[in-house]
Amino acid sequence: MTTYYDRAGVQVTSHELVVQGQRYQLNELRGLRIARGSASPAGTICAILAVLFVLPGSCSLQTSAWTIGLGLTAIGVLALGAAALIIRRLRPRPFEMWADYQGHTVQLYWSRDERVFNAIRFALVRATQADPLTR
C-alpha cells in the first residue's frame, strides 16, 4: 500500500481516502468533481447595504442639503464596500470535493486553503491512476 498524502486528518493511500475517520474505498468512488462553496453571507449583506445606501443619497440630491446627503452616501458606500471586500478576503469561498460513493453523492472533503485542497486532490488523482482497479 502506497501513501500519497497524510496530514491533518486526511490520508490518501493507493486503496482508500480517509477524512476525519471516514473511509472511502477508491474503487467505489465515481464521478469525482470539485466545486466552490457559497460566499460568506456577511460579505453579500454588506454589498447589498452599500447599494441601498445610494438610494437615500440620490433622493437627497434634489433637496437644498444635497452636499450633506452626497457626503453621507459616499461615506456609507465606501465603508460598506470596504467591509464587503475585507469579509470576502478573510472568508473566501471554500473548495469542495464531491463524488458518488455506494449510490450516494457525498462531499468527500472541503477546505478554504487552496494549497492544501489541491495537494489532496492531486494525491487522489495519483492514487486512482496508479491502481488499475480504480479506473
Side-chain angles (χ1 to χ4, degrees), residues 56-93:
S58 64
C59 292
S60 69
L61 292 177
Q62 298 170 8
T63 67
S64 59
W66 66 273
T67 55
I68 294 172
L70 183 63
L72 291 176
T73 300
I75 290 170
V77 168
L78 289 175
L80 289 170
L85 290 174
I86 290 169
I87 289 170
R88 288 183 187 249
R89 174 66 76 178
L90 294 176
R91 301 280 300 172
R93 293 171 47 196

Side-chain angles (χ1 to χ4, degrees), residues 90-129:
L90 294 176
R91 301 280 300 172
R93 293 171 47 196
F95 295 88
E96 301 173 344
M97 188 180 306
W98 295 82
D100 298 323
Y101 185 70
Q102 296 179 345
H104 301 297
T105 299
V106 295
Q107 184 181 37
L108 301 173
Y109 179 74
W110 75 273
S111 176
R112 293 189 190 278
D113 187 336
E114 185 176 11
R115 185 184 55 80
V116 171
F117 181 85
N118 282 332
I120 294 168
R121 180 171 61 109
F122 292 135
L124 194 56
V125 168
R126 284 192 310 271
T128 56
Q129 288 176 345

Side-chain angles (χ1 to χ4, degrees), residues 28-41:
E28 294 184 34
L29 289 177
R30 301 285 181 262
L32 183 65
R33 54 203 174 272
I34 59 170
R36 294 295 302 265
S38 59
S40 170

